């Protein structure tokens, strides 16, 4: 474990090499550098796992810490660069390494341009280094730096095609939204330091438990600003535009951001500080409300999307809400298992979509595709298994158990409203993905030419398919004693599992009736006044962007226009203008006539006398 720092240094060095020399080396060598980087990290991670298991068995709550150097000090508080490894960090390190290896392997066959390849691997390595620093940080200040590093690397990844105006706009927009989230984290760190006089994460959790009262006002504000920051990084409503803006980037970038960056950084943050969040019950109410609104918002929008990237993105956004439902019931082990399940499902769906767009010559409109199930049976199978995972296919897919447990826990903890929303979310997500599959694979074929793709591109998808099954459900994780564990009531859970299975079957039947063939009843329903209204509302994403423009953009532009004219300078000009006018009138009195001078003296004397009398 003495070489743990290399997990950050290796991707950082690779980033520097590629960013400095990437333009001058061939695509093959760029791929070798990129794959070798994540391969080395995976080998290193294997040794770390063996070392950790050897040194911590049977007590998995042991923590390995290593101080690298003292950075600076504020009074008695010293900010150090140190690494901390426990079972929770180890799990996240392995997840990040594994999924980045799969995405990198896929990208090696997917990306064709040499420039796209070197920028993807360079900025991707910067993102990996930032994620590793986040997971290994032992104090909140270093965690903030890692948080900011994730924002910068996301900005760079989205802006790979920066020469296009729309791409630059999307990258800047994403960076601004992420910076807002970072600002909330900074504000939370100020509050923590002001109350506890330390930034070390372990000390913060210990001192907060000893010195701060449960449900006190300060605990509420600390956890609330942390929650806003996490929601911003996860892309949950109302910060979802950080993911919808990524659609303009290449598919491997989208996969890296949606499947790895957002869910892992935000999930780790809340799990790491879970004892602190458990001290504020009000924050969990807000968390549940935001997750519920986000689930309905994203699920409805995904139902009417015709663009493959947008459709898949909104499906993934809706699935993030289940993680926050797991946080609401404070079942942290279940939350961690759902994070793994989400990474598998979203990666499988996004990489399958990447192949679909590639073979269809870049066409992204589902209504311009069709009849592909005979031509590409393997791709059809990966889409079906993605759908099975989203539908929570009973007793087959891992998602059936994780989602089922989350919904059951919501019901047993008397959060019936959130439980019903979660069930509705399963139904709507299933309809969205089945609409895509039936339209693309079963409708009449429209394309006549296709781009060939190597079969090696399917290898990461096959691995993800295996991981999405119930075989990999609830893997033994070394987190006992590290994050709080709660008893889970499984009594009568079979009733919910049967209900979930019924919803899955119902969604398949509805989707088959509505979308398997071109259905005239769909057009009749969509042409009714109510149908038109909902279609317009969902296609415009609930007019959320228009609302943002009205509330934030227009007032900002108005203020900018005012400031552009410099109101202080204008006020000075008014004063100068008034002085000049007065001076001009006084000049008129200087005409050489005695009576005007005498009149001026008398008038001034009268004014002075009046002032003396009055005051």
């Amino acid at each position: 474990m003495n070489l743990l720092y290399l997990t950050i240094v290796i991707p950082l060095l690779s980033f520097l090499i590629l960013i400095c020399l990437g333009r001058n080396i061939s695509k093959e060598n760029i791929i070798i550098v990129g794959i070798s980087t994540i391969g080395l990290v995976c080998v290193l991670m294997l040794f770390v796992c063996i070392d950790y298991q050897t040194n911590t068995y049977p007590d998995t709550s042991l923590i390995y810490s290593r101080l690298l150097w003292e950075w600076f000090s504020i009074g008695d508080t010293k900010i150090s660069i140190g690494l901390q490894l426990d079972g929770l960090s180890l799990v996240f390190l392995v997840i990040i390494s594994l999924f980045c290896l799969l995405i990198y392997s896929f990208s090696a066959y997917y990306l064709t341009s040499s420039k796209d390849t070197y920028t993807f691997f360079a900025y991707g390595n910067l993102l990996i280094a930032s994620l590793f620093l986040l997971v290994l940080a032992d104090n909140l200040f270093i965690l903030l730096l890692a948080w900011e590093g994730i924002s910068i690397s996301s900005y760079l990844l989205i802006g790979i095609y920066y020469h296009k105006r729309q791409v630059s706009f999307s990258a800047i927009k994403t960076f601004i939204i992420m910076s807002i989230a970072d600002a909330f984290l900074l504000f939370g760190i100020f509050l923590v330091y002001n109350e506890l006089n330390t930034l070390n994460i372990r000390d913060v959790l210990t001192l907060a438990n000893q010195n701060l009262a449960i449900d006190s006002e300060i605990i509420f504000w600390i956890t609330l600003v942390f929650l806003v920051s996490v929601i911003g990084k996860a892309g949950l409503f109302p910060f979802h535009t950080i993911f919808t803006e990524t659609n303009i980037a290449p598919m491997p970038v989208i996969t890296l951001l949606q499947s790895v960056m957002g869910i892992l950084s935000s999930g780790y943050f809340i799990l790491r500080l879970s004892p602190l969040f458990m001290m504020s019950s009000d924050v969990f109410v807000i968390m549940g409300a935001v997750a519920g609104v986000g689930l309905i918002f994203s699920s409805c929008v995904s139902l009417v999307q015709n663009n493959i990237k947008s459709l898949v993105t909104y499906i993934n956004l809706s699935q993030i809400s289940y993680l926050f439902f797991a946080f609401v019931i404070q079942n942290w082990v279940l939350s961690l298992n759902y994070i793994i399940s989400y990474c598998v499902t979203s990666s499988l769906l996004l990489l399958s979509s990447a192949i679909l767009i590639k073979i269809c010559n870049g066409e992204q409109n589902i209504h311009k595709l069709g009849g592909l199930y005979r031509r590409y049976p393997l791709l059809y199978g990966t889409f079906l298994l993605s759908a099975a995972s989203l539908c929570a296919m009973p007793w087959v897919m891992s998602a059936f158990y994780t989602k089922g447990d989350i919904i059951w826990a919501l019901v047993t903890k008397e959060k019936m409203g959130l439980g019903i929303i979660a069930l509705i979310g399963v139904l709507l997500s299933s309809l969205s993905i089945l609409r895509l599959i039936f339209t693309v694979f079963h409708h009449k074929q429209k394309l006549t030419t296709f781009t060939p793709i190597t079969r090696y591109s399917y290898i990461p998808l096959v691995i993800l398919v295996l991981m999405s099954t119930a075989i990999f459900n609830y893997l033994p994780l070394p987190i006992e004693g590290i994050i709080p564990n709660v008893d889970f009531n499984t009594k009568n859970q079979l009733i919910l599992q049967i209900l979930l299975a019924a919803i899955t079957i119902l969604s398949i039947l509805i989707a088959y009736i509505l979308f398997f063939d071109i259905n005239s009843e769909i057009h009749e329903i969509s042409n009714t006044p109510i149908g038109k209204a909902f279609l317009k509302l969902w296609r415009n994403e609930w007019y959320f962007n228009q609302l943002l423009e009205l509330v934030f953009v227009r007032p900002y532009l108005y203020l900018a226009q005012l400031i552009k004219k410099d109101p202080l300078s204008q006020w000075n000009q008014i004063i100068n203008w008034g002085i000049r006018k007065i001076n001009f009138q006084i000049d008129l009195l200087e005409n050489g006539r005695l009576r005007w001078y005498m009149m001026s003296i008398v008038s001034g004397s009268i004014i002075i006398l009046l002032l003396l009398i009055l005051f």
Side-chain angles (χ1 to χ4, degrees):
M1 277 190 273
N2 290 330
L3 301 177
L4 193 60
Y5 67 93
L6 289 178
T7 55
I8 301 170
V9 171
I10 290 174
L12 209 54
L13 281 176
S14 179
F15 160 72
L16 293 174
I17 291 170
L18 288 174
I19 207 68
C20 295
L21 307 175
R23 290 178 184 273
N24 302 318
I25 57 180
S26 65
K27 181 194 169 189
E28 289 73 19
N29 289 332
I30 293 169
I31 291 173
I32 289 172
V33 172
I35 299 289
S36 300
T37 301
I38 194 67
L40 274 174
V41 170
C42 287
V43 171
L44 186 63
M45 206 52 61
L46 180 64
F47 285 112
V48 170
C49 287
I50 294 171
D51 201 8
Y52 183 85
Q53 179 68 17
T54 306
N55 287 292
T56 60
Y57 182 81
D59 186 2
T60 58
S61 63
L62 292 176
I63 298 172
Y64 168 80
S65 298
R66 184 175 181 185
L67 177 66
L68 297 179
W69 71 84
E70 297 285 348
W71 191 3
F72 62 89
S73 58
I74 306 171
D76 297 332
T77 303
K78 295 180 179 178
I79 303 297
S80 60
I81 304 291
L83 304 179
Q84 175 181 291
L85 180 74
D86 58 9
L88 183 64
S89 306
L90 187 64
V91 170
F92 274 84
L93 289 176
V94 172
I95 295 173
I96 294 168
S97 306
L98 177 61
F99 281 93
C100 287
L101 178 63
L102 291 174
I103 296 169
Y104 271 30
S105 304
F106 179 84
S107 307
Y109 295 103
Y110 187 82
L111 296 172
T112 54
S113 163
S114 177
K115 179 178 178 300
D116 296 349
T117 308
Y118 100 80
T119 48
F120 169 74
F121 282 115
Y123 301 150
N125 287 335
L126 182 61
L127 177 65
I128 292 170
S130 302
L131 285 169
F132 282 156
L133 182 63
L134 173 79
V135 171
L136 293 172
D138 66 346
N139 68 70
L140 290 174
F141 187 78
I142 302 303
L143 193 145
L144 174 67
L145 292 182
W147 210 248
E148 194 60 36
I150 292 170
S151 300
I152 293 171
S153 48
S154 302
Y155 164 75
L156 293 171
L157 280 166
I158 295 171
I160 282 181
Y161 299 140
Y162 62 90
H163 53 277
K164 297 180 180 177
R165 183 182 176 87
Q166 182 59 35
V167 173
S168 300
F169 174 76
S170 299
I172 292 170
K173 187 176 178 182
T174 301
F175 183 72
I176 290 172
I177 295 173
M178 282 195 170
S179 297
I180 293 172
D182 297 344
F184 275 94
L185 177 60
L186 181 62
F187 185 53
I189 290 173
F190 283 147
L191 290 178
V192 167
Y193 184 76
N194 186 55
E195 289 297 320
L196 305 174
N197 203 30
T198 181
L199 293 179
N200 184 280
I201 294 174
R202 292 172 63 189
D203 293 342
V204 166
L205 298 179
T206 304
L207 292 174
N209 188 43
Q210 293 174 352
N211 301 335
L212 301 181
I214 294 175
D215 282 332
S216 61
E217 189 174 352
I218 185 63
I219 277 290
F220 171 76
W221 285 111
I222 290 173
T223 50
L224 181 64
V225 293
F226 279 160
L227 175 64
V228 174
S229 181
V230 167
I231 288 174
K233 199 63 76 176
L236 196 65
F237 180 86
F239 295 94
H240 59 281
T241 48
I242 66 166
F243 282 158
T244 56
E245 293 295 333
T246 63
N247 287 342
I248 208 156
M251 284 304 288
V253 171
I254 297 174
T255 310
L256 201 58
L257 295 179
Q258 293 186 15
S259 301
V260 177
M261 183 275 291
I263 194 80
L264 290 182
S265 58
S266 56
Y268 174 79
F269 186 90
I270 290 193
L271 286 174
R272 173 58 67 198
L273 298 180
S274 53
L276 193 67
F277 279 93
M278 291 174 73
M279 295 177 69
S280 176
S281 56
D282 293 338
V283 164
F284 288 105
V285 176
I286 298 171
M287 195 184 292
V290 172
V293 172
L295 179 55
I296 296 298
F297 177 93
S298 303
S299 300
C300 292
V301 174
S302 69
L303 271 177
V304 297
Q305 295 299 311
N306 295 327
N307 183 284
I308 295 171
K309 284 185 177 179
S310 299
L311 198 159
V312 172
T313 296
Y314 275 106
I315 289 176
N316 282 338
L317 282 172
S318 67
Q319 301 306 300
I320 294 174
S321 294
Y322 290 94
L323 173 61
F324 285 83
F325 286 152
F327 289 149
V328 169
I329 56 179
Q330 301 179 35
N331 191 330
W332 311 107
V333 178
L334 179 58
S335 307
L336 185 54
N337 280 284
Y338 182 76
I339 287 173
I340 299 171
S341 174
Y342 171 88
C343 289
V344 172
T345 305
S346 64
S347 299
L348 180 60
L349 186 58
L350 285 164
L351 295 184
S352 301
S353 303
I355 292 180
L356 174 63
I357 293 172
K358 181 97 172 178
I359 62 174
C360 293
N361 312 317
E363 181 58 59
Q364 298 179 23
N365 190 328
I366 60 173
H367 292 298
K368 293 183 179 180
L369 309 176
L372 298 180
Y373 83 100
R374 288 183 187 278
R375 195 179 185 93
Y376 298 101
L378 188 55
L379 181 62
Y380 181 54
T382 59
F383 264 102
L384 280 181
L385 285 165
S386 302
S389 191
L390 287 169
C391 299
M393 182 67 74
W395 297 286
V396 177
M397 308 306 290
S398 172
F400 172 73
Y401 294 96
T402 51
K403 277 187 184 175
D405 287 352
I406 291 171
I407 297 171
W408 179 247
L410 287 171
V411 173
T412 55
K413 288 184 176 290
E414 299 179 351
K415 302 183 186 304
M416 185 62 75
L418 293 180
I420 292 171
I421 290 174
L423 286 172
I424 292 172
V426 172
L427 178 66
L428 296 178
S429 302
S430 305
L431 290 176
S432 298
I433 187 64
L434 290 173
R435 171 174 171 261
L436 182 148
I437 291 173
F438 288 147
T439 307
V440 169
F441 290 95
H442 290 280
H443 284 192
K444 185 180 177 182
Q445 183 174 329
K446 299 177 181 69
L447 285 181
T448 54
T449 58
F450 298 92
T451 302
I453 190 165
T454 173
R455 66 182 64 180
Y456 295 115
S457 299
Y458 286 98
I459 293 176
L461 276 69
V462 172
I463 295 171
L464 289 168
V465 164
L466 291 174
M467 292 175 67
S468 68
T469 59
I471 300 170
F472 290 87
N473 190 43
Y474 289 115
L475 294 168
L477 303 173
I479 52 174
E480 187 176 350
I482 298 172
I483 56 176
N485 196 6
V486 295
D487 294 330
F488 184 62
N489 180 15
T490 57
K491 188 179 179 182
N492 299 325
Q493 191 183 4
L494 182 62
I495 298 172
L496 178 80
Q497 290 183 338
I498 293 172
L499 177 62
L500 199 56
I503 289 175
T504 303
I505 295 169
L506 179 66
S507 64
I508 294 171
L509 286 174
I510 293 174
Y512 181 82
I513 294 169
L514 295 178
F515 307 123
F516 189 78
D517 288 316
I518 297 175
N519 195 333
S520 59
E521 292 180 359
I522 289 285
H523 294 287
E524 292 177 7
I525 295 171
S526 59
N527 285 325
T528 60
I530 296 178
K532 283 181 179 177
F534 276 108
L535 278 177
K536 192 174 179 181
L537 190 64
W538 294 341
R539 280 175 180 162
N540 286 287
E541 302 173 5
W542 298 87
Y543 288 99
F544 184 76
N545 287 330
Q546 288 82 348
L547 181 65
L548 285 182
E549 183 176 352
L550 185 67
V551 175
F552 295 106
V553 178
R554 287 188 182 179
Y556 171 78
L557 291 175
Y558 176 73
L559 288 174
Q561 193 67 26
L562 284 180
I563 294 171
K564 181 182 176 183
K565 293 179 181 177
D566 195 352
L568 290 177
S569 176
Q570 284 189 330
W571 175 250
N572 289 334
Q573 289 177 2
I574 292 172
I575 294 174
N576 291 335
W577 177 83
I579 292 174
R580 284 199 303 271
K581 288 292 181 186
I582 294 172
N583 185 58
F584 177 75
Q585 296 298 327
I586 293 174
D587 276 348
L588 294 178
L589 299 178
E590 296 177 354
N591 50 18
R593 295 178 180 177
L594 185 60
R595 65 174 180 274
W596 281 102
Y597 295 127
M598 291 181 65
M599 189 174 185
S600 301
I601 293 169
V602 173
S603 299
S605 301
I606 291 170
I607 291 171
I608 292 171
L609 286 172
L610 284 173
L611 289 174
L612 289 173
I613 292 170
L614 292 173
F615 300 98

